[in-house]
């Protein structure tokens, strides 16, 4: 009972916000009318979509968040929520829609607010670039974690030991990521090839840049911790960059569920609040020190999501789409398997 109370305090605030948010949607869309019930249900679906797609993000961010002070953690939980909800999930696609559609930012904003169907069409036009950017960033996160010769803790020993030994080859993760990007671009029409290559390279360069900066300070996690000790803004930028790559696929999928921008921001925003609370819980309770394979499962889920996003770039030319439920399901299954093995390891140690 005491454990439930201890862990429950982390989700108390998100639950209250969800209750108020769903009540506001219910009341503003007609209450018990069919429109009100449908809007409330759609918001719940979007909330579940965000949580399932971003759960592995919470595990990875928790390891970085352990380096921060409680005050900086609260800053990440509160003000850090503004950027993923309004920046990544609203302004980010807006900017990409503007660039891909060859229209002004004001016109894209007008379409988002007053012509959601047209905005959805523009978003679909920008989708290959968005997926290429996010897919390459996440793929680099996955490759960098496993292609590490200093890594000694292995979950899937046969595979991870080989990957760790392969990490002795300098910049192998960059070469593999570029090879995959070239294969994806080769499968696309010539008119789209250069845009996808450019977007993918931006994702790759941003990951290399953050890694190089971390190495300069003596290790990624230690670097983030020392920077955050001077300014919470430094850690916020690092964490939000990873969050951006996770959320891009979910944002596109949300418009496939509904074109109501208010419902999208409400559902995804409430889901992001849950994920942030979970991140803080994992960090403060030092859960990753006991659940030793959970971080492995999260990175496998990251790699799967990155590959699915790049696959979506290729199959999108035929009008196909990787369903968001598949991405979420793969991530949840991998994390549950890692959690189960971590608990079994704990029992063996005991």
């Amino acid at each position: 009972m005491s454990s439930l109370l201890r862990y429950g305090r982390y989700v108390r605030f998100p639950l209250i916000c969800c209750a108020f948010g769903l009540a506001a949607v219910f009341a503003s869309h007609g209450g018990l009318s069919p429109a009100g019930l449908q809007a409330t249900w759609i918001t719940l679906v979007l909330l579940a979509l965000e949580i399932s797609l971003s759960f592995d993000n919470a595990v990875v961010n928790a390891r970085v968040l352990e380096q921060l002070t409680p005050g900086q953690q609260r800053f990440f939980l509160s003000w850090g929520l503004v950027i993923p909800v309004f920046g990544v999930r609203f302004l980010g696609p807006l900017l990409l829609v503007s660039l891909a559609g060859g229209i002004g930012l004001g016109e894209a904003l007008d379409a988002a607010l007053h012509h959601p169907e047209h905005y959805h069409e523009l978003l679909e036009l920008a989708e290959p670039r968005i997926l290429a950017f996010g897919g390459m960033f996440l793929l680099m996160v996955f490759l960098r974690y496993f292609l590490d010769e200093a890594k000694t803790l292995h979950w899937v020993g046969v595979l991870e030991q080989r990957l760790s030994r392969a990490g002795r080859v300098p910049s192998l993760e960059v070469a593999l990521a570029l090879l995959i990007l070239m294969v994806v671009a080769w499968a696309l029409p010539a008119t789209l090839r250069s845009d996808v290559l450019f977007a993918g390279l931006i994702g790759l360069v941003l990951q290399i840049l953050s890694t190089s900066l971390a190495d300069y300070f003596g290790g990624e996690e230690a670097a983030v911790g020392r920077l955050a000790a001077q300014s919470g803004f430094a850690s916020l930028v690092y964490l939000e960059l990873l969050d951006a790559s996770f959320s891009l696929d979910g944002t596109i999928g949300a418009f496939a569920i509904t074109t109501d921008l208010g419902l999208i921001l409400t559902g995804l925003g409430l889901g992001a609040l849950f994920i942030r609370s979970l991140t803080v819980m994992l960090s403060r309770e030092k859960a990753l020190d006991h659940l030793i394979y959970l971080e492995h499962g999260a990175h496998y889920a990251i790699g799967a999501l990155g590959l699915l996003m790049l696959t979506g770039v290729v199959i999108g030319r035929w009008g196909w789409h990787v369903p968001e439920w598949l991405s979420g399901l793969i991530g949840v299954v991998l994390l549950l398997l890692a959690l189960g093995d971590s608990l079994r390891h704990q029992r063996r140690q005991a």
Side-chain angles (χ1 to χ4, degrees):
M1 181 62 71
S2 60
S3 298
L4 289 175
L5 291 175
R6 188 172 78 250
Y7 295 138
R9 63 191 175 93
Y10 291 103
V11 297
R12 187 185 306 132
F13 180 67
L15 285 173
I16 294 173
C17 290
C18 283
F20 277 106
L22 292 172
V25 169
F26 179 75
S28 62
H29 286 75
L32 291 173
S33 67
L37 295 174
Q38 183 182 27
T40 306
W41 171 249
I42 288 174
T43 306
L44 275 172
V45 171
L46 292 171
L47 191 156
L49 172 69
E50 175 66 19
I51 292 175
S52 65
L53 286 176
S54 300
F55 189 90
D56 42 1
N57 188 16
V59 176
V60 176
N61 282 350
R63 188 57 88 179
V64 178
L65 207 63
E66 289 178 357
Q67 309 296 324
L68 310 187
T69 65
Q72 291 162 354
Q73 291 176 359
R74 287 192 296 271
F75 180 80
F76 167 73
L77 183 62
S78 56
W79 289 104
L81 193 65
V82 176
I83 295 176
V85 175
F86 294 100
V88 175
R89 292 162 177 80
F90 180 61
L91 294 179
L94 202 68
L95 179 61
L96 290 169
V97 161
S98 174
L99 293 174
I103 60 176
L105 194 60
E107 187 178 347
L109 178 61
D110 179 71
L113 295 177
H114 304 111
H115 308 285
E117 291 82 7
H118 179 52
Y119 181 74
H120 185 205
E121 294 174 358
L122 293 173
L123 189 64
E124 287 182 336
L125 182 65
E127 182 175 1
R129 292 91 167 167
I130 297 173
L131 294 180
F133 168 82
M136 286 299 295
F137 188 95
L138 295 179
L139 185 62
M140 283 293 295
V141 172
F142 165 79
L143 290 173
R144 182 175 177 271
Y145 181 77
F146 287 107
L147 292 174
D148 180 8
E149 61 176 325
K151 188 173 178 293
T152 56
L153 177 64
H154 304 300
W155 179 32
V156 185
V158 176
L159 173 63
E160 293 178 24
Q161 287 172 6
R162 287 175 169 79
L163 291 175
S164 181
R165 287 196 294 269
R168 299 170 186 170
V169 181
S171 303
L172 179 61
E173 70 276 10
V174 178
L176 289 175
L178 285 174
L179 181 62
I180 292 173
L181 180 61
M182 287 188 291
V183 170
V184 170
W186 175 80
L188 297 174
T191 54
L192 190 60
R193 195 170 296 158
S194 60
D195 287 352
V196 166
L197 277 172
F198 183 68
L201 285 173
I202 291 176
L204 184 144
V205 167
L206 282 176
Q207 171 58 22
I208 294 176
L209 185 62
S210 63
T211 303
S212 300
L213 180 63
D215 290 342
Y216 174 76
F217 283 98
E220 186 172 343
E221 293 173 9
V224 175
R226 284 196 290 271
L227 286 171
Q230 303 171 16
S231 169
F233 179 75
S235 60
L236 180 66
V237 170
Y238 181 88
L239 294 169
E240 297 302 340
L241 187 61
L242 186 60
D243 177 78
S245 301
F246 273 95
S247 64
L248 290 174
D249 190 38
T251 303
I252 296 172
F255 274 93
I257 296 172
T258 178
T259 56
D260 189 321
L261 195 60
L263 295 183
I264 290 174
L265 290 178
T266 302
L268 297 185
L270 293 174
L273 181 59
F274 257 106
I275 291 300
R276 265 154 174 66
S277 298
L278 182 62
T279 301
V280 173
M281 183 190 75
L282 291 172
S283 174
R284 292 183 182 175
E285 299 296 332
K286 304 297 181 183
L288 297 182
D289 292 339
H290 306 290
L291 304 174
I292 60 173
Y293 300 130
L294 199 58
E295 198 173 357
H296 294 70
H299 279 86
Y300 278 119
I302 287 173
L305 179 58
L307 289 175
L308 285 174
M309 292 174 78
L310 293 173
T311 301
V313 176
V314 177
I315 66 177
R317 61 177 296 191
W318 297 295
W320 299 344
H321 180 69
V322 178
E324 281 67 33
W325 63 262
L326 178 60
S327 305
L329 180 63
I330 290 175
V332 170
V333 168
L334 287 169
L335 285 169
L336 287 176
L337 290 173
L339 176 63
D341 282 349
S342 298
L343 293 174
R344 280 190 288 272
H345 175 80
Q346 271 190 319
R347 287 195 293 270
R348 286 195 298 268
Q349 294 296 315

